């Protein structure tokens, strides 16, 4: 739990927060690709059943919320294992890969509470939790053309991949890669472990992002 000193507290969602989270999730997904735009309602049901730690294939999804005093939920962030990416690997590898990467599925702040550090507090809570779990790489999918959100992630240490640009990183099973899936989003990428950075490089006439240990 974190407190920004002015009464805004960020902590895991609790049972009963589902509809508030769904409303914010719908705000984040307005104009999103079909299939993602309906993602908030199943999340609402899961939060009302489990709270902020939701059992999923290959691990748990985690949902943080920010509240201001006794008021309603002002912001939410949902962090999940990258299930689509994991299912592209053999079943034997999935358990070892599950903690290599975490993906921000949803991040939304009520318009009345923006520019107060709410989004930054949510992102910091998620990064701290992922780091303590040994996650190597944090990913966020940003809608193509969402320039203010892209700038927001850049200011917080994320590198934006180009459309379709792969991200390469080391796992316990060797080198692996992922991309945006071609569904109207770009990846924002940040290395979490000490001494590791993400850099753009070129290979055989194409560019890619590589997470590597600093020399």
């Amino acid at each position: 739990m974190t407190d920004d000193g002015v009464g805004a507290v960020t902590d895991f969602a609790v049972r009963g927060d589902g509809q508030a989270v769904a409303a914010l999730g719908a705000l984040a997904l307005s104009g999103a690709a079909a299939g993602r735009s309906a993602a908030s309602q199943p999340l609402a049901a899961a939060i009302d059943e489990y709270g902020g730690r939701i059992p999923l294939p290959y691990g748990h999804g985690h949902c943080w919320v920010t509240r201001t005093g006794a008021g309603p939920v002002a912001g939410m962030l949902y962090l999940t294992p990258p299930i689509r990416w994991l299912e592209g690997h053999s079943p034997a590898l999935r358990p070892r890969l599950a903690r290599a990467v975490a993906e921000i599925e949803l991040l939304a702040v009520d318009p009345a509470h923006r520019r107060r550090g709410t989004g930054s507090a949510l992102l910091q809570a998620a990064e701290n939790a992922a780091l303590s779990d040994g996650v190597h790489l944090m990913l966020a999918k940003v809608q193509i053309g969402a320039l203010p959100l892209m700038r927001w992630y850049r200011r917080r240490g994320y590198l934006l991949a180009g459309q379709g640009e792969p991200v390469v990183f080391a796992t316990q099973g060797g080198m692996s890669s992922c991309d945006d899936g071609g569904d109207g989003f770009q990846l924002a990428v940040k290395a979490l472990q000490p001494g590791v950075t993400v850099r753009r490089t070129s290979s055989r006439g194409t560019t890619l992002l590589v997470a590597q240990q600093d020399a």
Side-chain angles (χ1 to χ4, degrees), residues 58 86 90-99:
Y58 324 117
L86 288 167
S90 71
L93 280 177
R94 291 172 194 168
R96 288 191 293 169
L97 295 175
R99 291 171 66 178

Side-chain angles (χ1 to χ4, degrees), residues 24-43:
L24 285 171
L27 180 66
L29 291 170
S30 59
R36 286 178 62 89
S37 58
S40 58
Q41 284 303 324
L43 176 59

Side-chain angles (χ1 to χ4, degrees), residues 36-173:
R36 286 178 62 89
S37 58
S40 58
Q41 284 303 324
L43 176 59
I47 289 171
D48 286 339
E49 182 174 359
Y50 297 106
R53 192 169 187 267
I54 301 165
L56 293 173
Y58 324 117
H60 288 80
H62 295 88
C63 184
W64 288 267
V65 297
T66 296
R67 307 175 198 275
T68 302
V73 172
M76 59 78 64
L77 185 150
Y78 181 51
L79 186 72
T80 176
I83 294 173
R84 179 186 63 84
W85 175 74
L86 288 167
E87 291 182 343
H89 295 77
S90 71
L93 280 177
R94 291 172 194 168
R96 288 191 293 169
L97 295 175
R99 291 171 66 178
V101 180
E103 180 178 345
I104 299 170
E105 180 74 16
L106 290 169
L107 171 59
V109 176
D110 187 291
H113 294 274
R114 291 176 183 171
R115 301 185 182 277
R116 300 182 184 180
T118 302
S120 296
L122 287 161
L123 184 63
Q124 190 63 61
E127 288 182 355
N128 289 346
L131 179 61
S132 67
D133 283 343
V135 171
H136 292 209
L137 211 63
M138 195 83 146
L139 304 178
K141 295 188 84 171
V142 181
Q143 202 167 354
I144 292 170
L147 299 181
L149 186 56
M150 291 179 183
R151 289 193 291 268
W152 186 85
Y153 274 110
R154 284 193 184 103
R155 289 195 297 269
R156 286 152 184 83
Y158 286 74
L159 186 62
L160 269 294
Q163 296 177 42
E165 189 174 32
V167 181
V168 179
F169 51 94
T171 71
Q172 290 182 346

